[in-house]
Amino acid sequence: DINVLGAYSAGDNVAGLRFADSSSYCTLTRSCDSNYSVAASWTIFLGLYVFYSCIALFLDNVLPDAMGVRKPLWYFVQPSYWGLGRAN
């Protein structure tokens, strides 16, 4: 909730939300309606970053480039892609 984050950052004698306190007011064992910790948000953003990066890497190899060269859909399971076999 934005009010909780505001309470951590507003005021002259408030230390602010420290990294060590990023998951202190809401945990996975205690259900917190729509209020979830900053650490949960960071985890979601990191997971989405990895997910979209994998999709981008896959599409970059599968879709044809300017020269019309592309790899098959199963390129990542071939040993040659990982440097273990002969290159095709």
Side-chain angles (χ1 to χ4, degrees), residues 37-48:
S37 67
V38 176
S41 297
W42 292 340
T43 304
I44 291 169
F45 289 140
L46 181 64
L48 287 173

Side-chain angles (χ1 to χ4, degrees), residues 16-85:
L17 182 63
R18 294 193 171 107
F19 186 75
D21 299 330
S22 62
S23 60
S24 63
Y25 63 94
C26 187
T27 62
L28 294 177
T29 57
R30 183 173 46 128
S31 179
C32 300
D33 299 349
S34 63
N35 301 329
Y36 54 91
S37 67
V38 176
S41 297
W42 292 340
T43 304
I44 291 169
F45 289 140
L46 181 64
L48 287 173
Y49 173 77
V50 170
F51 176 72
Y52 287 126
S53 295
C54 290
I55 289 176
L57 180 65
F58 177 77
L59 291 177
D60 186 46
N61 284 298
V62 171
L63 296 177
D65 61 4
M67 300 296 289
V69 178
R70 66 181 201 154
K71 294 180 181 172
L73 293 175
W74 56 89
Y75 75 93
F76 57 90
V77 297
Q78 295 175 333
S80 61
Y81 177 75
W82 302 102
L84 301 174

